[in-house]
């Protein structure tokens, strides 16, 4: 990371800390904001958050590793999470998954070369009555068919 | 940073037992409890575990540790509480109303057995190929509960790579049972923050920041985690094979120095209770193993007092008389864990750290120069071993700057546990050994060097000498029996003021080249403080940063481990508050039994300044051999 980028990051986190407060309970909102903006939480950012909240970097890393929606490594611009639990599975998840993989040319767990898409499976997203369902960044898409899923992704491309 | 204590109140930071009301008649008072039909009354807030202990009933524990906060994660201590649907973890259940407890019902026994069998299903390793064999808490429980089969299977392949990147601590996470004792030690007890639980569910494991090897993160090598690990997941980097090889090589001259704390604790490894000092028995045992010479680290502890004390006087003289800018308060530098802690967390205060080396490293430099010349041995053929209560000493002797003799000053740091094993391997029962003395030319040392092992000891030793230097009076005339009680005991932070008054003595010969007289100290008050455990060190450092009371101190002793060296990370397992107290007692009573109790009166120290370091303390040669410099490491990991 360049010094300028580091300084910008520090400034950004200082702003977040003044917004959410310096207590340990502010950790998750701060991390969520960083995740939303950068699509991951860089090493340096983790250490700065730790310094400003007066906790240890490993505690920040521990929290990030616990939550699936927080990442410590770079992700694509769009993180596509397809529900893999039983209701969605029975409503045709496998076909949707294959269509998405074919369309993006990557497998689940991978990020496309242009850093646009990251494919992941998610456990139940709470749309069991409207499966198969997927979440792209923070938006939920339900009642997917292979064609519909491909169309949604193409609109994002 | 301003009062961060207020909003920093995580669950894991709350004290490990709920504070008991002091006056039980006013707040709730005593509560009657029935344990296995036995009635006792306990103060409000006592945990079931403590109540059972009072009633003489043993409850098995694994994640519980007296030094640490409650975790309640292992579930081995479950008991039945009447009226509750599920079993309760006794370590995490404060008693607030009269209850009936049963500790050995079929449900309890079955649950405990299942907990053990589940732990064993993921615990890699065979007991006979494990360094904790016979001392493993998991093994002990498995034996106690008669585990004779792996009901839920048993892993046969290691699940994690062994991390042996560190000079001090080796992590073998395949043997981890996720009790999180190391996490609580590192974060709460020491506030270093290397280890934490990473990932979730069945993937949970204990890891470092970004899963980096231990050598690359801010680990201070204190080894407190090793001392608290119930299994062999954490262990010290053992050099005993290399030491055996050196002993077996007829060309090598193998010398060993023993520190006071291992001597006060090694008896525990041979079945003695805590608090038996084995100094002279150990000398014989070491010679029988094959060490060529046995030296007393206390000798260089005495030397440390002279060098560090002189450095303090120089700093005070510069500040008060010459009005120069000097870094005060001066910090002690004997504890390598503390040195690495300040290098990482407070690098801007490195100038405050005394440049004097630790006793171990001073001895290393002297053995390969002074002793080698005197004994007529090529220093290249000398293998220098140090028995220390400490795992950070292994890192310290491998620091690149510790080569002032032209060779690696100390070749191996050996912990108390590892030495005990070497002695057993040689077929020696330590307590039965006849007593023998240390070898010349360093010989016996003073009691001041001895008490370095307990928290406050360095400061006490320094003050015994400083008051005699400055006041020209005997320390015994100022402190009863020269025991400086305010500096003893296990309070996290100790503070003391010593008024100098108007009566000062003549400048002793040793210091005449440095100060003309003591008139400039008339009416001054020497302020000193002592901290042990890096969590307490952090409190003092933050206070200094904020310009508080401790920024006005002149000299502060810091020890990385709770209790000082006697509670070090290389000491026998377990180490509890009670054991630390007994070990300290052993050291203090040995000190009191000695004739020689002040560093500057040690005839061998006087002699080395006459024969070898002829220009006196803090001179050119002593700076070359006995002083060092530090590295600004910082807190960021790339």
């Amino acid at each position: 990371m360049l010094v300028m980028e580091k300084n910008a990051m520090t400034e950004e986190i200082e702003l977040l800390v003044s917004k959410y407060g310096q207590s340990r309970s502010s950790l998750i909102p701060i991390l969520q904001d960083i995740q939303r903006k950068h699509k991951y939480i860089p090493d340096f950012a983790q250490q700065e958050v730790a310094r400003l909240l007066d906790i240890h970097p490993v505690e920040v890393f521990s929290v990030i590793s616990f939550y699936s929606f927080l990442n410590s490594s770079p992700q694509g611009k769009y993180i596509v999470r397809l529900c893999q639990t039983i209701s969605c599975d029975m409503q045709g998840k496998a076909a949707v998954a294959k269509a998405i993989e074919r369309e993006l040319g990557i497998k689940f767990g991978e990020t496309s070369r242009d850093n646009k898409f990251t494919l992941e499976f998610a456990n139940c997203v709470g749309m069991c009555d409207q499966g198969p369902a997927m979440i792209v960044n923070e938006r939920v898409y339900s009642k997917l068919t292979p064609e519909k899923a491909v169309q949604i992704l193409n609109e994002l491309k | 940073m301003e009062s961060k204590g207020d909003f920093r109140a995580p669950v894991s930071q709350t004290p490990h037992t709920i504070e008991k009301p002091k006056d039980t008649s006013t707040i709730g008072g005593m509560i009657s409890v029935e344990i296995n039909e036995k009635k006792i009354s306990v103060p409000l807030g006592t945990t079931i575990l403590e109540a059972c202990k009072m009633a003489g009933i043993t409850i098995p524990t694994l994640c519980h540790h007296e030094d640490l906060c409650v975790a309640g994660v292992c579930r081995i201590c479950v008991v039945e509480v009447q009226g509750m649907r599920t079993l309760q973890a006794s370590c995490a259940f404060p008693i607030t109303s009269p209850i009936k407890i049963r500790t050995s019902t079929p449900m309890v026994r079955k649950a405990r057995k299942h907990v053990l069998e589940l732990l064993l299903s993921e615990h890699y390793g065979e007991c006979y190929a494990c360094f904790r064999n016979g001392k493993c808490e998991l093994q002990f429980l498995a034996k106690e509960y008669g585990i004779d089969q792996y009901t839920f299977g048993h892993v046969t392949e290691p699940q994690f790579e062994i991390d042996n990147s560190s000079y001090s601590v080796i992590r073998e996470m395949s043997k981890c049972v996720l009790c999180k004792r190391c996490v609580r030690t590192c974060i709460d007890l020491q506030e270093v923050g290397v280890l934490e639980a990473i990932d979730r569910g069945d993937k949970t494991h204990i890891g470092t920041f970004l899963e980096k090897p231990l050598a690359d993160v801010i680990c201070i090598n204190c080894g407190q985690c090793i001392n608290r690990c119930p299994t062999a997941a954490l262990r010290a980097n053992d050099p005993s094979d290399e030491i055996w090889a050196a002993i077996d090589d007829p060309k090598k001259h193998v010398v060993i120095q023993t520190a006071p704390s291992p001597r006060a604790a090694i008896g525990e490894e041979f079945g003695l209770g805590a608090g038996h000092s084995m100094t002279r028995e150990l000398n014989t045992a070491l010679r029988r193993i094959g060490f060529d010479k046995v030296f007393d680290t206390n000798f260089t502890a005495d030397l440390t007092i002279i060098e560090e004390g002189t450095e303090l006087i120089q700093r005070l003289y510069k500040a008060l008389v010459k009005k120069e800018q000097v870094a005060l308060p001066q910090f002690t530098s004997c504890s390598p864990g503390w040195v690495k802690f300040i290098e990482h967390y407070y690098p801007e205060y490195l100038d405050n750290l005394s440049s004097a080396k630790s006793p171990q490293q001073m001895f290393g430099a002297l053995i390969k120069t002074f002793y080698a010349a005197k004994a007529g041995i090529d220093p290249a053929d000398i293998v220098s071993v140090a028995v220390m209560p400490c795992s950070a000493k292994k890192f310290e002797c491998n620091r690149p700057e510790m080569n002032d003799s032209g060779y690696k000053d100390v070749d191996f740091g050996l912990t108390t546990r590892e030495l005990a094993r070497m002695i057993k391997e040689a077929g020696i029962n330590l307590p039965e050994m006849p007593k023998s003395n240390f070898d010349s030319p360093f010989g016996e040392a003073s009691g001041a060097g001895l008490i370095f092992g307990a928290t406050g000891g360095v400061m006490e030793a320094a003050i015994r000498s400083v008051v005699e230097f400055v006041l020209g009076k005997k320390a015994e005339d100022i402190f009863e029996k020269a025991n400086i009680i305010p500096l003893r005991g296990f309070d996290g932070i100790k503070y003391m003021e010593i008024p100098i008054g108007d009566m000062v003595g003549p400048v002793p010969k040793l210091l005449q080249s440095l100060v003309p007289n003591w008139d400039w100290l008339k009416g001054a008050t020497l302020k000193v403080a002592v901290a042990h455990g890096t969590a307490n060190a952090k409190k003092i450092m933050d206070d200094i940063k904020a310009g508080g009371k401790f920024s006005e101190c002149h000299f502060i002793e810091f020890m990385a481990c709770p209790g000082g060296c006697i509670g070090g990370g290389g000491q026998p397992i377990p180490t509890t508050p009670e054991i630390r107290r007994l070990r300290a007692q052993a050291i203090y009573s040995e000190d009191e039994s000695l004739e020689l109790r002040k560093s500057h009166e040690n005839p061998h120290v006087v002699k080395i300044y006459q024969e070898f370091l002829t220009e006196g303390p803090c001179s050119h040669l002593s700076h070359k051999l006995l002083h060092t410099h530090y590295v600004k490491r910082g807190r960021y990991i790339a």
Side-chain angles (χ1 to χ4, degrees):
Chain A
M1 223 180 197
L2 296 173
V3 177
M4 265 170 62
E5 288 174 332
K6 278 189 179 175
N7 290 344
M9 182 61 86
T10 304
E11 225 167 275
E12 187 186 325
I13 295 168
E14 276 169 355
L15 217 65
L16 289 173
V17 171
S18 62
K19 181 176 165 193
Y20 291 110
Q22 222 184 345
S23 89
R24 280 168 75 100
S25 53
S26 325
L27 178 62
I28 287 183
I30 291 171
L31 293 180
Q32 281 173 322
D33 277 16
I34 300 170
Q35 167 83 27
R36 201 170 291 129
K37 186 166 169 195
H38 299 270
K39 302 293 169 222
Y40 82 113
I41 301 149
D43 308 353
F44 178 74
Q46 296 180 31
Q47 297 181 68
E48 280 301 82
V49 171
R51 180 176 67 85
L52 291 164
L53 297 187
D54 196 27
I55 57 179
H56 298 286
V58 73
E59 294 178 270
V60 178
F61 181 64
S62 172
V63 167
I64 294 171
S65 74
F66 186 90
Y67 291 106
S68 308
F69 279 50
L70 298 174
N71 298 101
S72 58
S73 56
Q75 306 288 310
K77 191 179 168 197
Y78 298 103
I79 303 175
V80 181
R81 295 184 170 100
L82 182 66
C83 179
Q84 65 171 356
T85 25
I86 192 155
S87 321
C88 286
D89 193 77
M90 292 178 75
Q91 293 172 92
K93 171 217 97 184
V96 176
K98 280 215 174 111
I100 296 175
E101 280 184 340
R102 197 162 44 234
E103 182 61 25
L104 297 178
I106 51 171
K107 301 259 176 228
F108 276 84
E110 294 176 353
T111 299
S112 64
R113 270 206 201 158
D114 57 0
N115 279 332
K116 228 162 176 188
F117 289 97
T118 295
L119 268 190
E120 270 175 21
F121 281 121
N123 290 316
C124 187
V125 300
M127 305 299 272
C128 309
D129 58 330
Q130 300 172 44
M134 71 175 180
I135 307 178
V136 179
N137 286 353
E138 289 180 359
R139 189 158 170 200
V140 182
Y141 298 90
S142 57
K143 291 186 181 163
L144 293 174
T145 59
E147 298 77 30
K148 201 173 153 193
V150 167
Q151 193 197 340
I152 290 164
L153 296 181
N154 276 329
E155 277 164 22
L156 294 171
K157 265 185 187 170
Chain B
M1 233 173 260
E2 77 270 72
S3 66
K4 55 185 184 295
D6 298 337
F7 41 77
R8 193 195 153 108
V11 178
S12 64
Q13 294 257 313
T14 47
H16 85 282
T17 47
I18 288 174
E19 206 175 313
K20 284 167 216 148
K22 287 198 181 78
D23 184 2
T24 45
S25 59
T26 52
I27 321 162
M30 305 293 279
I31 292 173
S32 67
V33 190
E34 203 180 303
I35 308 171
N36 299 348
E37 268 118 49
K38 186 176 173 181
K39 278 188 185 143
I40 61 162
S41 57
V42 298
L44 176 84
T46 309
T47 63
I48 293 181
L49 183 66
E50 288 168 321
C52 289
K53 208 174 167 188
M54 288 178 208
I57 294 162
T58 310
I59 304 280
T61 55
L62 197 57
C63 69
H64 175 81
H65 194 284
E66 283 177 57
D67 283 337
L68 307 172
C69 65
V70 166
V73 292
C74 76
R75 316 312 284 185
I76 194 81
C77 67
V78 285
V79 292
E80 251 185 64
V81 178
Q82 201 181 60
M84 300 194 90
R85 190 177 56 85
T86 54
L87 296 176
Q88 298 297 313
S90 61
C91 69
F93 192 111
I95 300 168
T96 51
S97 57
I99 48 171
K100 283 183 181 169
I101 301 157
R102 296 185 68 87
T103 67
S104 179
T105 62
M107 187 152 87
V108 168
R109 285 197 304 271
K110 194 173 166 191
R112 286 182 187 165
K113 209 163 179 170
H114 276 176
V115 166
L116 279 169
E117 284 168 343
L118 284 166
L119 285 174
L120 289 173
S121 75
E122 290 186 338
H123 176 80
Y124 168 71
E126 297 299 333
C127 288
Y128 20 79
C130 179
F131 97 105
R132 282 293 288 267
N133 190 0
K135 285 188 185 141
C136 170
E137 292 179 41
L138 185 65
Q139 189 189 39
F140 176 78
L141 288 173
K143 184 178 135 205
E144 202 170 73
Y145 282 81
I147 305 292
D148 53 4
Q149 58 178 348
Y150 297 122
T151 311
F152 304 112
H154 183 59
V155 283
T156 50
E157 294 292 322
Q159 308 293 300
F160 297 92
E161 255 180 67
I162 296 175
D163 174 4
N164 52 10
S165 61
S166 161
Y167 284 117
S168 299
V169 184
I170 296 180
R171 296 172 62 232
E172 191 176 350
M173 286 301 108
S174 306
K175 291 181 177 170
C176 176
V177 294
L178 295 173
C179 68
K180 289 183 89 182
R181 276 193 199 168
C182 55
V183 172
R184 285 173 284 153
T185 304
C186 204
I187 292 181
D188 294 347
L189 191 69
Q190 292 292 72
E191 290 205 33
V192 177
V194 170
L195 302 169
E196 181 50 289
I198 306 295
D199 286 340
R200 185 184 49 193
D202 64 343
K203 290 192 181 64
T204 310
H205 60 279
I206 306 299
T208 57
F209 182 58
L210 307 175
E211 311 262 24
K212 287 192 178 278
L214 212 51
D216 295 352
V217 295
I218 305 182
C219 174
I220 63 165
N221 304 309
C222 67
Q224 289 297 311
C225 52
I226 303 176
N227 247 336
R228 285 172 184 74
C229 182
T231 69
L234 291 158
R235 62 173 195 263
N237 206 338
D238 184 356
S240 52
D241 286 344
E242 290 159 274
I243 295 171
W244 281 122
I247 289 174
D248 295 339
D249 184 344
K251 273 185 286 184
K252 297 285 181 199
H253 184 75
V254 190
V255 301
I256 188 161
Q257 50 167 312
T258 66
S261 300
R263 302 184 320 223
I266 197 164
E268 294 163 33
E269 293 274 350
F270 292 87
L272 298 182
H276 286 82
S277 204
M278 292 270 114
T279 310
R280 282 165 215 286
E281 290 86 345
L282 191 60
N283 289 347
T284 314
L286 291 170
R287 288 195 189 95
R288 290 202 186 169
I289 287 180
F291 288 100
D292 295 302
K293 293 282 174 193
V294 184
F295 297 135
D296 186 353
T297 307
N298 295 352
F299 167 75
T300 36
D302 284 336
L303 210 56
T304 303
I305 289 299
I306 305 295
E307 291 290 332
E308 225 169 77
T310 308
E311 194 186 345
L312 177 66
I313 288 165
Q314 274 182 327
R315 285 190 197 209
L316 291 175
Y317 189 65
K318 274 183 193 159
L320 296 173
V321 181
K322 295 188 181 165
K323 305 287 175 205
E324 283 174 33
Q325 273 288 334
V326 285
L328 278 172
Q330 178 176 305
F331 302 153
T332 62
S333 60
C334 309
S335 167
W338 151 247
V339 168
K340 195 153 184 268
F341 183 81
I342 188 174
E343 284 178 336
H344 279 302
Y345 285 105
Y346 301 95
E348 64 274 26
Y349 284 96
L350 282 183
D351 287 339
N352 294 58
L353 211 51
S354 164
S355 65
K357 283 181 188 172
S358 68
Q360 164 181 299
Q361 292 306 127
M362 280 197 185
F363 224 141
L366 285 179
I367 283 169
K368 294 201 179 175
T369 53
F370 174 73
Y371 169 73
K374 207 158 177 159
I377 301 166
D378 181 0
D381 288 334
I382 295 179
V383 176
S384 176
V385 181
V387 180
M388 293 288 149
C390 183
S391 54
K393 290 282 176 192
K394 294 171 189 287
F395 171 81
E396 187 186 30
C397 75
N398 282 301
R399 286 176 80 116
E401 59 270 27
M402 295 297 183
N403 283 306
D404 292 325
S405 60
Y407 303 88
K408 195 176 166 195
D409 290 340
V410 173
D411 292 282
F412 302 109
L414 195 64
T415 63
T416 315
R417 294 188 297 267
E418 290 152 4
L419 178 65
R421 231 209 43 244
M422 284 181 78
I423 293 173
K424 285 179 190 166
E425 213 175 325
I428 294 169
N429 186 14
L430 183 65
E432 288 174 3
M433 284 292 106
K435 297 180 178 189
S436 63
N437 289 337
F438 289 102
D439 285 308
S440 56
F442 303 110
E444 309 297 309
S446 78
L450 187 74
I451 55 172
F452 262 56
T455 164
V458 178
M459 192 53 76
E460 181 165 346
I463 287 176
R464 282 183 195 170
S465 287
V466 166
V467 292
E468 295 207 354
F469 282 160
V470 175
L471 301 178
K473 283 195 273 185
K474 284 272 151 206
E476 284 83 351
D477 299 338
I478 304 161
F479 307 104
E480 201 191 336
K481 290 187 189 162
N483 292 341
I484 308 175
I485 302 299
L487 296 176
R488 298 188 179 182
F490 293 100
D491 288 344
I493 294 170
K494 288 165 275 185
Y495 177 80
M496 189 184 177
E497 291 186 0
I498 301 141
I500 300 211
D502 290 332
M503 295 287 288
V504 289
V507 177
K509 211 174 148 201
L510 200 62
L511 303 174
Q512 271 167 5
S513 61
L514 301 169
V515 286
N517 55 50
W518 295 124
D519 291 345
W520 51 281
L521 277 176
K522 276 185 184 169
T525 302
L526 188 65
K527 295 176 185 168
V528 298
V530 173
H532 62 114
T534 40
N536 292 316
K538 190 168 181 257
K539 280 185 200 135
I540 289 202
M541 290 309 295
D542 287 340
D543 181 82
I544 290 175
K545 240 180 165 171
K549 167 177 154 190
F550 293 106
S551 63
E552 288 169 13
C553 278
H554 302 109
F555 196 25
I556 306 181
E557 176 200 308
F558 289 100
M559 289 292 159
C561 293
C565 304
I566 45 151
Q571 291 284 61
I573 301 168
T575 298
T576 61
E578 177 63 9
I579 290 174
R580 283 197 291 266
R581 196 183 61 73
L582 289 168
R583 288 177 190 159
Q585 214 173 41
I587 281 183
Y588 284 124
S589 56
E590 199 180 335
D591 162 49
E592 215 159 310
S593 73
L594 292 175
E595 283 283 307
L596 192 64
R597 295 184 62 208
K598 278 157 264 171
S599 299
H600 60 281
E601 289 177 353
N602 181 338
H604 304 284
V605 168
V606 176
K607 213 161 123 196
I608 207 166
Y609 281 111
Q610 285 164 356
E611 283 180 14
F612 187 61
L613 305 164
T614 44
E615 290 165 55
C618 292
S619 63
H620 179 72
L621 184 60
S622 91
H623 258 285
K624 181 175 179 289
L625 291 178
L626 307 182
H627 290 252
T628 183
H629 58 272
Y630 306 103
V631 186
K632 282 190 179 173
R633 292 178 201 270
R635 60 160 71 207
Y636 290 96
I637 300 164

